[in-house]
Amino acid sequence: MPLVRIDALGADPGRLDALSRAVHEALVETLGIPDDDRFHILTGHDGAHGTLRYGDYLGIHRDEGIVYVVITMRSGRTPGQKQAMYRRIAELAHAYAGTDPRNVFVTVTENEPIDWSLGHGIAQYVTPPA
Amino acid sequence: MPLVRIDALGADPGRLDALSRAVHEALVETLGIPDDDRFHILTGHDGAHGTLRYGDYLGIHRDEGIVYVVITMRSGRTPGQKQAMYRRIAELAHAYAGTDPRNVFVTVTENEPIDWSLGHGIAQYVTPPA
Amino acid sequence: MPLVRIDALGADPGRLDALSRAVHEALVETLGIPDDDRFHILTGHDGAHGTLRYGDYLGIHRDEGIVYVVITMRSGRTPGQKQAMYRRIAELAHAYAGTDPRNVFVTVTENEPIDWSLGHGIAQYVTPPA
């Protein structure tokens, strides 16, 4: 169920794929989602049709290695789970894509079970159907 | 008011347009939004600058026909309205774009009236202005 | 902390940059965020790999100058702050990018301090770490 958007600079499909694997494995490990619960939108920005902007906010020096990870999921994860998730995303983004952890930016937006239809026009998390 | 993002694979403007019409008509029919209340961001991912990832989560076999529909709207719709909306999006995506209903993935994020400015720098849903 | 997505038609890097500066300065002025707290994802849609749809909802005539500004930030801003923010975004988009204020569409989604990791795998807004 988490829907993940990953935006990075450049147009290297291999790097986007590595980032996608890093985020997915981190979610499997720390949130306990199934391995086939992977829904990602990956975008590389090459400057011709868009780009990213970033600053050194909080004293963290970011550069063109910046990666934005935006996760939409149901509410209910604990603060500890989210913190473990952030830590593991940063670790695996480094391991798989060579991304420096200072460049890994993650934000989470939560919604409710009724807010998901994962195919067939059905709200699968709500039973019985209203 | 709903703001809709539709992400699909490929770069067929006709298909994106058909998906956009499908989602819009479904929202008009099931949420009762006006016909001119259409605000869509459509993106086709061709692999060069991004792509989509998906799994068979919940036993639903998805393939390269996958379509992600992300809807941001004010809170207040009932579960029944959302379920009707999912059903109609899937039906019309099939009718207009040939998309198999198993490939239609929808998620909703809600906010409040103060969270919208639809032009002229005004928060139109809040009256009188604070 | 606000994460901002800006989507416009065309593929003019200068225009996207001007819109980005407009939104950022408006947030600095009206929300009081630091100048280096700038995290933007900018996309120009040229029709080949996506586009935008828009209607004249609420009697506002929009055209190909449409700009979608989507802001994710922590909850806590007052209605008055948000209204000042919308006003200033519209003013500066006009001043910097020549965008007519009727074409400036903004929506806000809020989350909580635990929902942000701005680098290093840490949830910086939560102390001490859980």
Side-chain angles (χ1 to χ4, degrees):
Chain A
M1 152 213 56
L3 179 65
V4 176
R5 286 187 192 272
I6 300 175
D7 289 82
L9 288 170
D12 175 349
R15 181 162 171 260
L16 286 175
D17 183 67
L19 290 166
S20 173
R21 285 188 292 115
V23 172
H24 180 59
E25 289 189 24
L27 271 57
V28 169
E29 287 180 27
T30 61
L31 303 185
I33 66 170
D35 188 56
D36 61 4
D37 185 3
R38 183 180 182 181
F39 302 102
H40 289 196
I41 299 169
L42 315 176
T43 305
H45 299 264
D46 69 356
H49 296 83
T51 190
L52 306 178
R53 292 280 183 273
Y54 45 90
D56 284 351
Y57 178 59
L58 298 180
I60 299 170
H61 177 62
R62 302 175 183 85
D63 61 25
E64 69 282 356
I66 186 88
V67 178
Y68 290 119
V69 179
V70 177
I71 301 169
T72 304
M73 62 184 182
R74 283 178 293 173
S75 61
R77 308 297 177 174
T78 67
Q81 282 182 301
K82 290 180 181 175
Q83 287 171 308
M85 178 182 79
Y86 300 142
R87 195 178 316 120
R88 195 62 178 145
I89 290 174
E91 287 172 358
L92 292 179
H94 185 250
Y96 292 176
T99 296
D100 195 300
R102 63 190 162 85
N103 278 317
V104 180
F105 185 111
V106 186
T107 188
V108 171
T109 298
E110 294 181 331
N111 58 12
E112 300 306 319
I114 188 62
D115 295 318
W116 297 85
S117 175
L118 293 95
H120 296 302
I122 297 167
Q124 280 88 356
Y125 295 135
V126 179
T127 41
Chain B
M1 153 213 55
L3 179 65
V4 176
R5 285 187 192 271
I6 300 175
D7 289 83
L9 288 170
D12 176 349
R15 180 163 172 259
L16 285 175
D17 183 68
L19 290 166
S20 174
R21 285 188 291 114
V23 173
H24 181 59
E25 289 189 24
L27 272 57
V28 169
E29 287 181 26
T30 62
L31 304 185
I33 66 169
D35 188 55
D36 62 4
D37 186 2
R38 183 181 182 181
F39 302 102
H40 289 197
I41 299 169
L42 316 176
T43 304
H45 300 264
D46 69 355
H49 296 84
T51 190
L52 306 178
R53 292 281 183 273
Y54 45 89
D56 284 351
Y57 178 59
L58 298 181
I60 298 170
H61 177 61
R62 301 175 182 84
D63 61 24
E64 70 282 357
I66 186 88
V67 177
Y68 290 119
V69 179
V70 177
I71 300 169
T72 305
M73 62 184 183
R74 284 179 292 174
S75 62
R77 308 297 177 175
T78 67
Q81 281 181 303
K82 290 179 182 176
Q83 287 172 308
M85 178 182 79
Y86 300 142
R87 196 178 314 122
R88 195 61 178 146
I89 289 173
E91 288 172 355
L92 292 179
H94 185 252
Y96 293 176
T99 297
D100 193 300
R102 64 190 160 85
N103 279 317
V104 180
F105 186 112
V106 186
T107 188
V108 171
T109 297
E110 294 181 333
N111 58 12
E112 300 306 319
I114 188 62
D115 295 319
W116 296 86
S117 175
L118 293 96
H120 295 301
I122 298 168
Q124 280 89 354
Y125 295 134
V126 180
T127 42
Chain C
M1 154 213 55
L3 178 65
V4 176
R5 285 187 192 272
I6 300 175
D7 290 83
L9 288 170
D12 176 350
R15 179 161 172 261
L16 285 175
D17 183 68
L19 290 166
S20 174
R21 286 188 290 116
V23 172
H24 181 58
E25 289 189 24
L27 270 57
V28 169
E29 288 182 25
T30 61
L31 304 186
I33 66 169
D35 188 56
D36 61 5
D37 186 2
R38 182 180 183 183
F39 301 102
H40 289 195
I41 299 169
L42 315 177
T43 304
H45 300 263
D46 69 355
H49 296 83
T51 190
L52 306 178
R53 292 281 182 273
Y54 45 88
D56 284 352
Y57 178 59
L58 297 181
I60 299 171
H61 177 60
R62 302 175 182 84
D63 61 24
E64 70 282 358
I66 186 88
V67 177
Y68 290 118
V69 179
V70 177
I71 301 170
T72 304
M73 62 184 183
R74 284 179 293 174
S75 63
R77 308 297 176 174
T78 66
Q81 281 181 302
K82 290 180 182 177
Q83 287 172 308
M85 178 182 79
Y86 300 142
R87 196 177 314 121
R88 195 61 178 146
I89 289 174
E91 287 171 357
L92 292 179
H94 185 251
Y96 292 176
T99 296
D100 194 299
R102 65 191 160 85
N103 279 317
V104 180
F105 185 111
V106 187
T107 188
V108 172
T109 297
E110 294 181 331
N111 57 12
E112 300 306 318
I114 188 64
D115 295 319
W116 296 86
S117 174
L118 293 95
H120 295 301
I122 297 167
Q124 281 88 355
Y125 295 135
V126 180
T127 41

